[in-house]
Amino acid sequence: MAKVDDIKTITVVGAGTMGHGIAEVAAIAGYKVYLADIKKEILDNALEKIKWSLSKLAEKGVVRESVDSVMARITPIVNLDENGNYTEEFAKALKETDVMIEAIIERLDLKQKLFAFADEHAPEHAILATNTSSLPITEIAAATKRPEKVVGMHFFNPPPLMPLVEIIRGEKTSDETVEVTVALSKKFGKQPVVVKKDVPGFIVNRVLARFLNTGCQLVAKGKATIEEVDATVKYVLGLPMGIFELSDYSGIDVFYYVFTAMKERGFKTTPCPLYEEKYKAKEFGMKSGKGFYTYPAPGKYARPNIPKDLAGKVDPVLVLAPAVNEAAWLLRNDVATKEDIDKAVKLGLGWPKGVLEFADEYGLDKIVEALKKLKEELGLEEMEPDPLLVEKVEKGELGRKTGKGFYEYGEVEEIKKKTIIIRKEKPIAWIILNRPRKYNALSPELLKELGEALDELEDDDDVRVVILKGEGRAFSAGADVTAFTGVTPISIAKFSRRFQELTLKMQFYTKPIIVAIHGYALGGGLEIAMSGDIRIASEDAMLGQPEINLGFIPGAGGTQRLPRLVGRGKAKELIFTGDMIPASEALKIGLVDKVVPPERLDQEARALALKIAEKPPLALMAAKYAIEYGLESNIWAGLSLEAHLFGLLFSTEDVIEGVMAFLEKRKPKFKGK
Ligand code: NAD
């Protein structure tokens, strides 16, 4: 067999959870399918399930043919007789088989027996594939005389819906076998990734095992609670489920088995005791009504309560780093390409980004720091940073922020002005207030340069989001009071006007502006911060309008924007007293939108900016304008503006791209046109 087009008949052995789904996928793709299992009842049940699933897919329009015509391509076969020997009928089916896909129970002896039999009866050209999750392909292949035609074909549950297939090379699998299996997976409508070495857990389960086990260890060692870890995974990293939520959903017993099997095969890990405890107590999760969370009844699912306000209580990098370390191991050992690792994680686990993409975003230096911390504080030897990560950090390949990490992002461009720094990390850019010895006091020159920088970045189509922050120990402590000596009422009124124009420029800027606040954000500093779109503060931030203490009032929009953000009473209290408030209080009253630990301020701002930067620029602008102009007008004007902008967007290419991508289930690429 050299070509995928020569494949006509597929035999799926094992009609359980996976086997019946794989048979369905093969039949939908138009192949003649033999589905074999040890008992007629099992096969009847499997056919019923396939029929039900097909009717659902037909309803959704995913399957265009009639259910009956797809079903007609599947022939059930009982493959064992009363004495436990393979039947004649099975041998006959194998003779006709171009590809066998084995999905029987996870036992090496049984699989080897089956492969030996298939080897004897299937034609010479036939490929023998196994869906095993944890057994070595090489050892299964050893039972045959055609190890070059034995390959891993690891589907995900449920096969008709999950797009990923891991194609695993045993020690002797030939290039041709891999190529044909990859092509066949595509014919099945799946997206294959190639696992070039037969390592326990392949890609997805290795990354998942690291991720789940270390997250669990954080809880077991008292560093975080279950809800804190899950809230961070869901709401900060944006994964579909938390670590414990997923374990409950898929079954703690299932993970316990797979991870134990991987450990037995040499996967270095310190198993988190909580999995074993739950396993021994038969608290498997949703299916038993109790796992890490509690469910209404066994088998009855209800989403566990994971409070959003716990998000970020654990450093997301701490949770992510073990998965990145595993991915680095896979890459360094040439088990898979970086693209395939990321694809596997996205399609197999539903991550919104690949694990290596995440790493580049958070910074490889931060990942290495987190791993060292995990190793030390949790006593986990396996958290030793992978040499590949260490090497990249030494070379300064830290990810997005240096323009290169696992991927390349184009040059990071830094333009140093007298009082500010512009840093382009496309598609985002930073404006850094750079008078650190003066707490970034706002001199007329700084305001001028800030305005010019905004203009320049507005014209740069490759910059989608701007982040504003301060260098040194503060965001900005306010206007340069030393510059206020010898001023006249008229000159200071002019200064105020200019400053206000800058804040208006920010408010109605055509791109989103995120303000990252640390240390002091006082007076004019706070007024600038309030003119941005979203404010993230570090825990050490102190905010206030202290002008009253000097005998004057805020002059750059403070008396207008502060009450709009926090209400009249709070604004008056802050302005009348001149008091500074900490970030936590600023969050409570709505003056900032998020508070994070100081060492995470940059990464949180970057992560949010990158997330927004993927959205259509014109729609972002329209949303911003509808909100900002709308809030300054009455509801009729606001609604009218909204309707017009809504309509206008339908003249853009990005709307077409957005809708197409949605229908094609891919990530849209917006151009801002
Ligand atoms: P299952 O227990 O649901 O199904 C196994 C089926 O194989 C049963 O119907 C059993 O009767 C049948 N069987 C046993 N011995 C047989 C033989 N000699 N000939 C024919 N049929 C035989 O198991 P499953 O979850 O479908 O797993 C099957 C394989 O797929 C395992 O290797 C597993 O590691 C792998 N896998 C499972 C999942 C999953 O999520 N369940 C995902 C990927 C891979």
Side-chain angles (χ1 to χ4, degrees):
M1 167 95 30
K3 281 194 249 97
V4 69
D5 291 338
D6 298 336
I7 299 174
K8 302 277 179 278
T9 306
I10 291 180
T11 297
V12 179
V13 190
T17 309
M18 296 303 291
H20 87 271
I22 298 169
E24 179 181 342
V25 167
I28 294 172
Y31 293 99
K32 172 169 184 186
V33 179
Y34 288 111
L35 176 59
D37 206 303
I38 54 177
K39 285 206 180 84
K40 182 169 178 305
E41 303 83 79
I42 299 176
L43 288 164
D44 288 345
N45 185 19
L47 292 176
E48 270 314 303
K49 282 198 194 143
I50 296 175
K51 207 167 171 180
W52 177 86
S53 164
L54 281 172
S55 66
K56 291 280 153 206
L57 293 176
E59 259 171 43
K60 284 196 217 150
V62 180
V63 173
R64 301 249 154 87
E65 270 181 288
S66 77
V67 172
D68 287 344
S69 52
V70 179
M71 287 302 293
R73 286 199 282 272
I74 306 177
T75 311
I77 286 186
V78 177
N79 69 345
L80 284 190
D81 63 21
E82 313 79 68
N83 305 322
N85 295 321
Y86 285 115
T87 57
E88 263 309 299
E89 202 189 354
F90 185 44
K92 247 174 76 191
L94 284 169
K95 280 202 174 43
E96 249 188 77
T97 297
D98 298 313
V99 177
M100 174 183 90
I101 304 174
E102 168 275 313
I104 69 170
I105 50 170
E106 193 73 334
R107 265 182 51 188
L108 184 61
D109 57 335
L110 292 183
K111 293 201 195 247
Q112 284 182 325
K113 205 172 145 211
L114 170 67
F115 273 72
F117 187 79
D119 186 31
E120 227 175 89
H121 296 275
E124 211 178 303
H125 71 258
I127 289 178
L128 308 178
T130 169
N131 184 42
T132 181
S133 294
S134 58
L135 300 170
I137 312 302
T138 310
E139 284 181 38
I140 296 174
T144 72
K145 292 192 202 71
R146 62 175 95 190
E148 75 287 354
K149 291 205 172 66
V150 178
V151 67
M153 207 175 176
H154 189 231
F155 288 83
F156 288 75
N157 188 20
L161 301 182
M162 294 292 286
L164 183 68
V165 181
E166 288 175 317
I167 308 291
I168 307 107
R169 207 180 240 285
E171 254 167 45
K172 297 197 173 149
T173 312
S174 70
D175 290 348
E176 190 185 47
T177 301
V178 172
E179 273 162 36
V180 175
T181 318
V182 162
L184 178 66
S185 311
K186 289 185 185 161
K187 293 259 177 195
F188 282 176
K190 301 291 159 199
Q191 300 201 41
V193 293
V194 177
V195 185
K196 295 185 260 180
K197 289 184 186 158
D198 189 7
V199 296
F202 316 135
I203 302 174
V204 171
N205 277 338
R206 284 185 86 94
V207 172
L208 183 66
R210 266 315 160 223
F211 185 63
L212 297 196
N213 195 61
T214 323
C216 176
Q217 289 283 19
L218 282 169
V219 174
K221 302 248 156 106
K223 303 282 176 200
T225 66
I226 287 178
E227 287 83 1
E228 282 169 359
V229 169
D230 275 5
T232 299
V233 170
K234 266 174 94 123
Y235 306 119
V236 181
L237 297 177
L239 270 48
M241 282 192 188
I243 282 174
F244 299 95
E245 187 185 11
L246 175 68
S247 306
D248 271 7
Y249 185 79
S250 303
I252 291 166
D253 52 331
V254 175
F255 285 143
Y256 182 72
Y257 282 132
V258 175
F259 297 163
T260 309
M262 283 168 60
K263 187 172 157 61
E264 277 166 11
R265 278 188 58 202
F267 180 72
K268 286 200 191 78
T269 175
T270 316
C272 174
L274 302 185
Y275 279 103
E276 190 166 18
E277 274 168 33
K278 290 279 162 198
Y279 178 76
K280 288 200 167 140
K282 295 204 166 45
E283 292 176 2
F284 299 148
M286 189 245 296
K287 66 172 122 176
S288 28
K290 191 168 190 301
F292 293 112
Y293 298 95
T294 308
Y295 301 87
K300 196 160 180 328
Y301 189 64
R303 229 167 231 290
N305 178 27
I306 301 169
K308 210 168 176 179
D309 59 352
L310 297 180
K313 287 264 188 254
V314 192
D315 183 351
V317 180
L318 224 45
V319 183
L320 186 69
V324 175
N325 209 32
E326 191 54 44
W329 185 91
L330 288 166
L331 197 56
R332 183 171 54 85
N333 288 288
D334 194 30
V335 176
T337 63
K338 58 182 182 234
E339 289 80 9
D340 272 0
I341 294 172
D342 275 354
K343 186 166 148 190
V345 164
K346 286 190 267 192
L347 299 178
L349 300 173
W351 286 27
K353 286 195 187 93
V355 57
L356 298 170
E357 288 171 335
F358 262 128
D360 277 359
E361 219 172 277
Y362 280 107
L364 303 195
D365 50 339
K366 298 278 173 193
I367 300 281
V368 168
E369 265 171 38
L371 288 167
K372 287 185 181 156
K373 200 167 159 192
L374 288 166
K375 186 176 169 193
E376 242 167 63
E377 291 186 8
L378 303 182
L380 300 176
E381 280 308 309
E382 68 267 33
M383 288 301 113
E384 176 68 30
D386 189 87
L388 178 63
L389 282 172
V390 176
E391 183 197 317
K392 283 194 168 289
V393 171
E394 275 165 9
K395 281 202 278 189
E397 294 175 5
L398 306 183
R400 286 245 182 210
K401 60 184 163 189
T402 56
K404 188 172 180 201
F406 286 108
Y407 297 94
E408 301 210 7
Y409 299 92
E411 288 291 287
V412 171
E413 199 185 328
E414 220 172 70
I415 308 157
K416 244 185 151 151
K417 307 271 178 182
K418 274 199 185 135
T419 60
I420 63 165
I421 299 168
I422 304 171
R423 214 182 128 79
K424 290 189 192 176
E425 272 175 42
K426 288 172 180 179
I428 64 170
W430 301 73
I431 299 179
I432 305 160
L433 309 180
N434 190 29
R435 296 182 76 205
R437 273 185 293 168
K438 298 241 169 203
Y439 289 97
N440 300 321
L442 304 166
S443 61
E445 187 175 30
L446 185 147
L447 295 177
K448 185 163 168 274
E449 288 191 345
L450 178 54
E452 287 165 359
L454 286 168
D455 288 344
E456 185 187 325
L457 294 176
E458 191 156 51
D459 289 340
D460 188 335
D461 287 343
D462 296 334
V463 171
R464 302 273 177 96
V465 180
V466 174
I467 306 172
L468 187 59
K469 72 163 199 165
E471 184 63 48
R473 286 165 48 204
F475 174 71
S476 167
D480 212 338
V481 182
T482 51
F484 286 176
T485 46
V487 292
T488 65
I490 296 298
S491 68
I492 209 83
K494 275 191 194 158
F495 175 73
S496 169
R497 262 315 302 161
R498 287 245 173 99
F499 200 159
Q500 287 176 353
E501 275 162 18
L502 177 71
T503 61
L504 279 170
K505 180 180 278 188
M506 288 177 65
Q507 187 178 355
F508 296 101
Y509 197 61
T510 53
K511 301 175 184 187
I513 298 178
I514 295 170
V515 187
I517 305 166
H518 76 291
Y520 293 126
L522 302 176
L526 181 59
E527 288 169 301
I528 289 208
M530 287 192 292
S531 312
D533 296 303
I534 300 169
R535 281 159 291 284
I536 304 179
S538 85
E539 283 160 357
D540 67 0
M542 294 294 290
L543 305 91
Q545 298 280 186
E547 289 85 349
I548 203 94
N549 296 324
L550 301 173
F552 47 93
I553 61 169
T559 63
Q560 302 305 301
R561 292 197 179 88
L562 189 56
R564 279 167 171 75
L565 282 170
V566 304
R568 287 187 160 134
K570 269 286 162 213
K572 284 176 186 164
E573 187 186 330
L574 283 171
I575 292 173
F576 291 175
T577 62
D579 283 349
M580 290 191 276
I581 56 168
S584 56
E585 200 179 327
L587 180 68
K588 269 190 215 136
I589 62 174
L591 183 52
V592 299
D593 304 293
K594 193 174 189 181
V595 176
V596 300
E599 69 279 9
R600 275 161 49 194
L601 182 62
D602 282 8
Q603 81 196 28
E604 295 268 354
R606 179 182 286 108
L608 179 62
L610 286 170
K611 186 171 182 181
I612 297 174
E614 285 177 1
K615 309 295 172 190
L618 295 173
L620 286 173
M621 177 171 79
K624 179 164 169 175
Y625 274 32
I627 294 169
E628 290 298 338
Y629 282 109
L631 282 175
E632 297 304 338
S633 344
N634 55 55
I635 187 117
W636 299 281
L639 288 175
S640 164
L641 177 64
E642 182 188 79
H644 284 93
L645 288 169
F646 185 67
L648 197 60
L649 288 172
F650 279 75
S651 66
T652 65
E653 289 174 22
D654 282 350
V655 164
I656 300 169
E657 167 64 8
V659 174
M660 290 297 288
F662 176 78
L663 294 176
E664 290 165 12
K665 292 192 182 144
R666 61 173 170 83
K667 206 166 167 178
K669 277 210 166 80
F670 295 117
K671 297 203 195 96
K673 286 186 183 157

